[in-house]
Amino acid sequence: MPNMGQANLKKRPGFPARLGLPSPPAKLSASAGQVQPVPGRHLPPQGIGMDSIAVRQNMVAKLAQQGISNTQVLSAMASVERHRFVDTALVNQAYEDTSLPIGLGQTISKPGVVARMLELLCQGRGTRLGRVLEIGTGCGYQATLLSHLCTEVYSMERLRGLHDKARANLRHLRLANVHLLFGDGIAGYARGAPYAGIIAAAGGDALPQAWIDQLAVGAFLVAPVAGGPIGCRSQSLVVVEKTAQGVRHTVMEAVHFVPLKSGLA
Ligand code: SAH
């Protein structure tokens, strides 16, 4: 995988520029209006980096053009340095709308899909969500975005190697409201329930009942689920809203996520 990034670096010699200093907040123009990155902790320069404010502004403007309108989601996407979560060889692809490998056969979703899912999770809310459960911590990028959007984040990962990687990636950010859990997310995390939102970054054949049980009334679950013809490995994004009367499922667009697997590894 590192070779992909090397090849890309060679193709575009003028890019990236060096990252000089920790990013100050910057004003962004997006079709949805002015988006202000929330002041957060930024890591010291990595040595290899990019002019990350400008490229993130560009990414956010594109997300807005694609129809993402939730300003909190756009602000979080503008603030979180996605290039810090990927391998150094992939740094200059970090703000392209593409999924990227994060090791152990897993991928970080493309920004457009991440923003879309976060918008669906937060729909109808002008303020922060309460406690949210994320299934599939991966490298910790989405958990970091969630830390801007929710009061508390419980994020579960079944692969020890990625759980450790996310822990390392988040260490310097000192996000007091993010709890990384090494465990099988299929069972959810009952101790934190009920959740003001549940979001999964891996898709199974069906939604685990535990997730629906652990969702608060009025909250949304956003997850990829296998769909389409039998034998075909297509997935759709599914939104489940829990109401006092029951649950309402809405099937959204086709997506492509890594499989939801049981057990630890
Ligand atoms: N949100 C992540 C994307 C991770 S990719 C990020 O921002 O990087 C999906 C992740 O789900 C993988 O790391 C995979 O190991 C994990 N996963 C799959 N099945 C799981 C399960 N049952 N419990 C917890 N994590 C799971």
Side-chain angles (χ1 to χ4, degrees), residues 80-100:
V80 178
E81 299 181 322
R82 192 173 186 255
H83 69 276
R84 304 283 184 187
F85 293 84
V86 297
D87 203 87
T88 34
L90 301 172
V91 154
N92 70 334
Q93 294 174 47
Y95 298 103
E96 290 172 12
D97 200 20
T98 181
S99 56
L100 293 171

Side-chain angles (χ1 to χ4, degrees), residues 85 102-104 106-109 114 134-143 155-159 162 181 183-187 200-203 211 257-264:
F85 293 84
I102 53 173
L104 300 178
Q106 308 302 313
T107 52
I108 179 174
S109 306
V114 173
E134 179 190 40
I135 316 297
T137 311
C139 65
Y141 172 66
Q142 187 174 272
S155 181
M156 302 188 75
E157 174 56 57
R158 64 175 287 274
L159 297 178
L162 284 177
L181 307 166
D184 182 349
I186 291 177
W211 298 356
F257 278 82
V258 296
L260 181 72
K261 293 190 174 170
S262 58
L264 304 178

Side-chain angles (χ1 to χ4, degrees), residues 172-255:
H172 307 282
L173 297 170
R174 292 191 216 118
L175 302 171
N177 65 341
V178 178
H179 311 281
L180 299 181
L181 307 166
F182 175 53
D184 182 349
I186 291 177
Y189 186 64
R191 284 167 69 181
Y195 294 99
I198 299 181
I199 185 165
D205 290 336
L207 290 174
Q209 184 59 40
W211 298 356
I212 293 167
D213 293 344
Q214 292 173 21
L215 200 60
V217 170
F220 292 95
L221 157 61
V222 184
V225 182
I230 293 170
C232 168
R233 291 172 59 202
S234 67
Q235 290 174 331
S236 300
L237 203 54
V238 171
V239 177
V240 177
E241 182 184 8
K242 194 163 185 177
T243 68
Q245 288 73 42
V247 287
R248 189 181 301 133
H249 284 68
T250 311
V251 179
M252 316 297 285
E253 64 269 26
V255 284

Side-chain angles (χ1 to χ4, degrees), residues 8-18 49-51 92:
N8 207 296
L9 276 172
K10 279 183 195 134
K11 261 189 271 156
R12 288 179 294 171
F15 187 78
R18 275 194 168 256
M50 56 206 309
D51 180 356
N92 70 334

